[in-house]
Amino acid sequence: MKQLIALMLACAVPLAWAEDAKKPKVKKAKAEKPQIEVCFVLDTTGSMGGLIAGAKEKIWSMANEMISAKPTPDIRIGLVAYRDRTDEYVTKIHELSADIDDIYAKLMAFKAAGGGDTPESVNQALNEAVTKLDWSNSKKVLKVIFLVGDAPPQMKYKQDVKYPTSCELAVKKDIIINTIQCGNMPSTTPIWQEIARKSEGKFARILQTGGVMAITTPFDKQIADCNAKLGHTVCVYGDEATQRFAASKLTTATAASESAAADRALYFQNASLRAEIKVAEVISGGGDLTGLLANNKMKLKDVDEKKLPEKIRKMKPKEREVYFAKQIADRKKVQAELNVLLKKRSEFIMEKKAELKKAGKGDGFDEQVNGFIREQAAKKGFKYEKAEAAPKEPKKK
């Protein structure tokens, strides 16, 4: 009897295993990548020159603030410029994009002109920001619009979606609308406050000029030199259009002010650390063969000849190997130097910001954006470390 039971058990085990093997395996769903999406809806009429100049100066700094959250998010930024129906254009829309170099280039093309007669086409700009951009459908994504301007919306236009309707649509899409008023035009304040209130956002009023304070540091010149050297390590790769696009972004970045260029370098450094890649990017959005090779995302033997610049295409295989080995080595060397300089610069800026805050300053456009993002990101589970001044060395007695 015991032998029979043992035989039955021995047969049952493989049978049970076979039944389990027949069952379809349930694939574990991939965890959603944390994400932040931000659209700046900017009044670009003549009175907004100071704010636009400040936004150009601080776009990289604000991007740095966004990616400093934990868990580390991917970010997408979009732009909607607006004026009025009597101006050169009513709105210009630039889609949400993870290619921050491209967004920066588009922002650099913004010019303050037109206007002169208030109100402006705020209603159309706000509605298009809510309805025409490729916002994520996920409730886990932080989705934020910053409406920035100095004049109220024109409410008499026919075939115009009024701001209360756009606010309702934003809430349904889980999009927060923050409003930042430049200057103190009395007719703007109550409407800006109402838009923020109806869209679960916040309201702030800043100087007409934007109140952006660019802090210069003793390290900016050296950082700019490093950025120029990094630019020389780039090998644009792709079809003709891709190469032109990558090259144009690099040209725009090279022309940035020392302060903006330093913030841009810090962005790429932070992004590389968080992505755990060995060599930081020099341009965003792809198209840099040196970066692909340095991070083992592509092998030199797999490179498509047609996608190489003419100069590299003419090289023999061994020449290419030597060329890219030097490009990668040069990039690593410059980045090591740059990382030290960026750390010193960050410490210097933290001290200066602490001094400005103590003096009741430093509440311009960029600081308002950063503060709102920090507060609203917390509701989506993001955490930001409290920014503090770098510790000072004790005085010698």
Side-chain angles (χ1 to χ4, degrees):
M1 187 65 178
K2 288 181 180 178
Q3 289 178 337
L4 180 60
I5 292 171
L7 180 61
M8 289 172 66
L9 287 173
C11 292
V13 171
L15 282 171
W17 179 88
E19 286 299 317
D20 286 343
K22 288 178 185 178
K23 291 178 184 177
K25 292 181 180 179
V26 179
K27 290 183 179 179
K28 290 184 180 180
K30 289 184 179 179
E32 284 185 49
K33 176 74 175 175
Q35 193 161 306
I36 294 175
E37 297 175 342
V38 175
C39 175
F40 294 101
V41 181
L42 301 175
D43 179 347
T44 55
T45 55
S47 58
M48 296 293 291
L51 183 282
I52 293 169
K56 291 174 181 178
E57 187 70 25
K58 289 294 182 177
I59 185 70
W60 288 105
S61 173
M62 292 185 286
N64 267 319
E65 181 71 18
M66 292 177 208
I67 67 165
S68 68
K70 292 182 180 179
T72 305
D74 286 338
I75 65 171
R76 295 203 299 155
I77 296 177
L79 302 169
V80 176
Y82 71 90
R83 291 181 184 171
D84 200 5
R85 293 187 182 184
T86 56
D87 294 320
E88 179 189 350
Y89 61 83
V90 181
T91 61
K92 282 187 178 180
I93 301 174
H94 298 298
E95 184 58 88
L96 292 163
S97 174
D99 186 349
I100 312 303
D101 264 325
D102 185 38
I103 290 296
Y104 175 70
K106 288 177 167 62
L107 180 60
M108 290 301 290
F110 283 7
K111 301 259 188 306
D117 57 335
T118 57
E120 313 293 359
S121 290
V122 176
N123 283 327
Q124 182 174 332
L126 191 59
N127 184 255
E128 290 179 353
V130 173
T131 63
K132 291 192 175 182
L133 296 189
D134 181 30
W135 295 100
S136 169
N137 292 322
S138 173
K139 292 281 186 180
K140 294 181 181 179
V141 176
L142 175 65
K143 291 164 279 190
V144 183
I145 289 172
F146 285 95
L147 173 61
V148 189
D150 61 354
Q154 174 57 263
M155 301 300 287
K156 293 181 181 178
Y157 290 145
K158 294 179 180 179
Q159 297 179 332
D160 194 25
V161 181
K162 304 299 186 285
Y163 69 82
T165 301
S166 297
C167 291
E168 289 176 15
L169 290 170
V171 171
K172 287 179 182 177
K173 290 188 169 190
D174 196 35
I175 301 170
I176 296 167
I177 302 176
N178 296 312
T179 55
I180 298 179
Q181 179 184 351
C182 298
N184 53 8
M185 192 178 294
S187 55
T188 304
T189 306
I191 295 177
W192 251 230
Q193 290 174 330
E194 183 185 359
I195 291 171
R197 186 172 63 253
K198 285 179 177 291
S199 311
E200 301 177 358
K202 293 179 73 69
F203 162 79
R205 184 164 44 216
I206 60 177
L207 296 173
Q208 180 67 47
T209 59
V212 170
M213 302 188 75
I215 300 172
T216 57
T217 81
F219 315 104
D220 292 349
K221 179 64 172 64
Q222 289 171 278
I223 291 171
D225 291 342
C226 285
N227 278 325
K229 291 175 186 175
L230 285 176
H232 291 305
T233 69
V234 172
C235 173
V236 290
Y237 178 73
D239 57 31
E240 192 176 334
T242 302
Q243 287 193 37
R244 280 200 309 270
F245 185 43
S248 69
K249 288 189 292 185
L250 188 60
T251 300
T252 303
T254 304
S257 70
E258 288 183 353
S259 176
D263 284 328
R264 178 179 177 275
L266 182 61
Y267 174 84
F268 283 119
Q269 181 208 47
N270 287 338
S272 68
L273 289 172
R274 289 171 171 82
E276 296 181 348
I277 60 175
K278 294 178 182 178
V279 183
E281 291 182 324
V282 176
I283 52 174
S284 64
D288 174 23
L289 182 56
T290 306
L292 292 170
L293 295 171
N295 291 302
N296 296 317
K297 293 183 178 180
M298 184 177 280
K299 300 291 184 185
L300 199 52
K301 64 182 178 62
D302 298 325
V303 165
D304 186 343
E305 295 278 332
K306 295 177 183 177
K307 293 182 179 181
L308 288 170
E310 186 179 358
K311 169 188 163 185
I312 312 298
R313 205 163 49 237
K314 289 180 178 179
M315 291 181 181
K316 293 177 181 178
K318 190 63 181 175
E319 287 178 308
R320 276 187 207 165
E321 192 177 323
V322 172
Y323 173 80
F324 280 110
K326 184 177 185 308
Q327 293 291 88
I328 292 169
D330 287 350
R331 183 175 294 193
K332 287 180 178 178
K333 182 181 176 182
V334 175
Q335 283 185 336
E337 181 184 350
L338 186 59
N339 290 347
V340 174
L341 291 168
L342 288 172
K343 185 174 185 297
K344 290 178 179 178
R345 177 180 180 269
S346 294
E347 290 171 350
F348 184 92
I349 287 175
M350 280 194 289
E351 284 192 6
K352 288 296 180 185
K353 281 187 175 181
E355 291 173 11
L356 289 169
K357 189 174 181 180
K358 194 174 180 180
K361 299 177 182 178
D363 58 351
F365 171 63
D366 55 320
E367 291 300 321
Q368 293 292 351
V369 168
N370 291 344
F372 287 178
I373 287 287
R374 279 174 171 262
E375 183 177 333
Q376 290 158 357
K379 296 175 183 178
K380 296 290 185 180
F382 293 104
K383 293 181 181 178
Y384 287 88
E385 292 180 8
K386 187 177 179 181
E388 295 180 351
K392 295 180 180 179
E393 289 186 9
K395 292 181 180 179
K396 294 181 181 179
K397 293 182 180 180

